[in-house]
Amino acid sequence: MTLKTKENYLKAMYMLAEEEGVISLSGLGKRLGVSKPTVNSMVKQFQHEGWVEYQKYKPIELTSQGKKEAALVIRRHRLVEMFLVEKMEFGWEEVHDIAEEMEHVEAEILFDRMNDMLGNPAFDPHGSPIPDKNGNVLSRPYLSLSEMRRGDRVVVKALRDDNKEFLDYLNGRHIRLEVEMLVEQIETFDKSMTISIEKEPSLNLSKEVCDRLLVERL
Amino acid sequence: MTLKTKENYLKAMYMLAEEEGVISLSGLGKRLGVSKPTVNSMVKQFQHEGWVEYQKYKPIELTSQGKKEAALVIRRHRLVEMFLVEKMEFGWEEVHDIAEEMEHVEAEILFDRMNDMLGNPAFDPHGSPIPDKNGNVLSRPYLSLSEMRRGDRVVVKALRDDNKEFLDYLNGRHIRLEVEMLVEQIETFDKSMTISIEKEPSLNLSKEVCDRLLVERL
DNA sequence: ATATAAAGTTAGATTAGTCTAACAATTTTA
DNA sequence: TAAAATTGTTAGACTAATCTAACTTTATAT
């Protein structure tokens, strides 16, 4: 199996486990853009390599080895994103696709140097934690903005999504990490929120947007 | 055909044409570490794509399209090398292998940004010219140190090789680009040279080393 | 509880890039 | 110039990663 294939499958499995709680064949297929039979045969190979635990018709589980290797791919991805934003003046909406390519570069020393130049950063430009060199990750106790109530004051800490369209939307409304917001109103019928940011006009954010904003209560 | 394969073959062909004047099937095979039948079948595909001109038993020739695409791969390689040395404090002996990986990253914008941060550099850390965005390259009128005569004063301008062992050897003797040398002696029997660098003890350089040092007469 | 939908599986085919073995053409050298 | 060496070609096989078609198992929904 090629390294890139291995890395892409492991990363997808790791993220599915995080996001959906479970790794299904079809979820993995959709995520990777491949058919179910393809995933099925690949998963058997991953099991053979000791990266997943798998039984017919049961959900897939990453072994600790698999988790670690996946976390190291994610480490490279997030370090690259941070490097691009901090050292090369890219916007947070530009870096995902570049990092997607660079995470597969076989040059440990390059990522170590990025890490050093960035001072061993704990989070990427979207607020996601950067796993350490052993594949250990800080868990984030953040809540989604949609769980807040009227009158809550919060700080934006991370995003659930680093999709370019979403980031462009946030840029257009001056929503960045560490921005402070006040929840002014919540519409009961569509769950949209009216929020205000210091020195800016109030904004209405749809449920979809609120779900994707991870915040800390002040 | 995958992009990486295409890029590796084109680059190898381009460099062979430069170094040997001709692109042979076996030369290409050796360079790429693949068998002759493999090269043979790939070259047919390259011809079909319009990147090479080829007839049975004749040497391979790159079309202008092929040359341009090859030069753009080399551009990325050399830009990366320059970026690593100038912006990330790598040594000139460390960057080849990393650049070999990074040249295949599909992110035009990344290389453009490197180019901007470096001020559109004309040469890489080993003195090789960086092709421009159209694939045009400056030709270098440098001579090899081994062509010099006793008493000549020269400046080191580039290297014929960026092999790590060679660069480590040069590092150990404080030979860098722009260093000035005086040819003190040439041994007739093995063509080795005794040269001196300002404020350093005299050095004896073998023919192999002299061949690889490209200089300009003062 | 059964029909329908969704998820998973199997079989068999395909493509890219590679190989070895055997042979043919060309070039070099004695 | 003939033998030897090198270079190039053909045929046929292999592996990784993918697909579609057909089928089975499990989950969901009236």
Side-chain angles (χ1 to χ4, degrees):
Chain A
M1 184 173 341
T2 64
L3 195 64
K4 192 167 175 174
T5 305
K6 169 188 166 180
E7 290 176 347
N8 280 334
Y9 274 80
L10 283 178
K11 188 174 60 145
M13 289 191 257
Y14 189 98
M15 298 185 95
L16 272 177
E18 241 191 13
E19 290 166 26
E20 333 256 275
V22 80
I23 308 167
S24 68
L25 273 184
S26 36
L28 198 44
K30 259 168 217 152
R31 170 76 57 132
L32 292 167
V34 300
S35 69
K36 288 180 289 171
T38 299
V39 178
N40 188 271
S41 92
M42 291 305 287
V43 164
K44 286 172 187 166
Q45 293 183 60
F46 275 76
Q47 174 164 48
H48 188 256
E49 301 283 353
W51 300 322
V52 305
E53 222 34 275
Y54 181 61
Q55 291 156 272
K56 269 193 181 186
Y57 300 106
K58 293 271 147 54
I60 302 149
E61 297 199 14
L62 282 166
T63 61
S64 60
Q65 179 62 18
K67 266 180 219 158
K68 179 179 171 176
E69 299 209 29
L72 292 177
V73 180
I74 291 167
R75 170 178 170 78
R76 293 198 293 274
H77 182 101
R78 293 183 180 166
L79 270 178
V80 168
E81 290 194 336
M82 201 61 177
F83 186 87
L84 294 174
V85 167
E86 293 294 314
K87 305 295 178 186
M88 296 186 75
E89 297 184 78
F90 282 98
W92 69 345
E93 77 287 356
E94 300 180 284
V95 297
H96 178 82
D97 293 351
I98 307 177
E100 204 69 17
E101 289 276 323
M102 295 235 339
E103 71 194 13
H104 303 296
V105 164
E106 289 178 62
E108 193 79 22
I109 195 177
L110 174 67
F111 301 103
D112 289 346
R113 182 64 50 91
M114 286 183 182
N115 185 251
D116 293 347
M117 288 176 70
L118 292 167
N120 195 35
F123 299 96
D124 80 7
H126 314 105
S128 302
I130 301 178
D132 69 20
K133 277 210 85 172
N134 303 311
N136 298 124
V137 203
L138 266 70
S139 77
R140 298 170 300 163
Y142 305 139
L143 297 163
S144 166
L145 178 58
S146 31
E147 296 167 72
M148 298 298 107
R149 303 213 218 98
R150 181 134 91 107
D152 283 345
R153 279 197 170 281
V154 300
V155 190
V156 178
K157 283 292 184 182
L159 309 178
R160 268 236 173 76
D161 198 325
D162 51 9
N163 180 281
K164 179 158 194 312
E165 280 71 56
F166 178 49
L167 293 166
D168 284 340
Y169 173 95
L170 297 181
N171 283 342
R173 283 156 187 80
H174 307 110
I175 299 175
R176 284 167 274 103
L177 297 190
E178 303 304 330
V179 150
E180 209 178 302
M181 318 179 144
L182 168 67
V183 179
E184 291 185 332
Q185 274 291 347
I186 307 178
E187 290 300 329
T188 44
F189 90 98
D190 69 353
K191 261 92 178 179
S192 74
M193 283 181 166
T194 303
I195 61 101
S196 63
I197 300 177
E198 191 115 340
K199 287 169 197 142
E200 303 249 0
S202 291
L203 286 174
N204 188 263
L205 304 178
S206 68
K207 175 83 167 24
E208 287 72 46
V209 169
C210 297
D211 280 346
R212 287 170 171 74
L213 289 173
L214 297 175
V215 301
E216 209 164 77
R217 235 191 225 99
L218 282 183
Chain B
M1 184 171 344
T2 64
L3 196 63
K4 193 168 174 175
T5 305
K6 169 186 164 180
E7 290 176 347
N8 279 334
Y9 275 80
L10 283 178
K11 189 174 60 143
M13 288 190 258
Y14 189 98
M15 298 185 95
L16 273 178
E18 244 193 10
E19 291 166 25
E20 332 257 275
V22 80
I23 309 167
S24 69
L25 273 183
S26 35
L28 198 45
K30 260 167 216 154
R31 172 77 55 133
L32 292 167
V34 299
S35 68
K36 287 179 291 171
T38 299
V39 178
N40 189 270
S41 92
M42 292 306 286
V43 164
K44 286 173 186 165
Q45 293 182 60
F46 275 76
Q47 174 164 48
H48 188 255
E49 300 284 353
W51 300 322
V52 305
E53 221 36 275
Y54 182 60
Q55 289 155 274
K56 267 193 182 184
Y57 299 104
K58 292 269 147 55
I60 302 149
E61 296 199 14
L62 282 165
T63 61
S64 60
Q65 179 62 16
K67 268 181 219 157
K68 179 178 172 176
E69 299 209 29
L72 292 177
V73 180
I74 291 167
R75 171 178 170 78
R76 293 198 293 276
H77 182 100
R78 295 183 177 165
L79 271 177
V80 168
E81 290 194 335
M82 200 60 179
F83 186 87
L84 294 174
V85 167
E86 294 293 313
K87 303 294 178 186
M88 295 187 76
E89 300 184 77
F90 281 98
W92 68 345
E93 77 287 357
E94 299 179 286
V95 298
H96 177 82
D97 293 351
I98 307 176
E100 204 69 15
E101 288 277 322
M102 295 233 343
E103 71 194 15
H104 304 296
V105 163
E106 289 178 61
E108 192 80 23
I109 196 177
L110 174 65
F111 301 102
D112 288 345
R113 182 62 51 91
M114 286 183 183
N115 185 250
D116 293 348
M117 288 175 70
L118 292 167
N120 194 34
F123 299 96
D124 80 6
H126 313 103
S128 302
I130 302 177
D132 69 20
K133 278 211 84 170
N134 302 311
N136 298 123
V137 202
L138 265 70
S139 76
R140 298 171 299 162
Y142 305 140
L143 296 163
S144 166
L145 178 58
S146 31
E147 296 167 73
M148 298 299 107
R149 302 214 218 98
R150 182 135 92 104
D152 282 348
R153 281 199 168 280
V154 301
V155 189
V156 177
K157 282 294 184 180
L159 309 177
R160 267 234 175 76
D161 198 326
D162 52 8
N163 179 281
K164 180 160 193 311
E165 281 71 54
F166 178 49
L167 293 165
D168 284 340
Y169 173 94
L170 297 181
N171 284 342
R173 284 156 186 79
H174 308 110
I175 300 174
R176 285 167 271 103
L177 296 190
E178 303 304 329
V179 151
E180 208 178 304
M181 318 179 144
L182 168 67
V183 179
E184 292 185 332
Q185 274 291 347
I186 307 178
E187 290 300 329
T188 44
F189 90 98
D190 68 353
K191 261 93 180 180
S192 73
M193 281 180 168
T194 304
I195 61 102
S196 63
I197 300 176
E198 192 116 342
K199 286 168 198 142
E200 305 249 358
S202 292
L203 285 174
N204 187 262
L205 305 178
S206 69
K207 175 86 170 16
E208 286 71 47
V209 169
C210 296
D211 280 346
R212 288 170 171 75
L213 290 173
L214 298 175
V215 301
E216 210 165 77
R217 232 191 226 100
L218 281 185

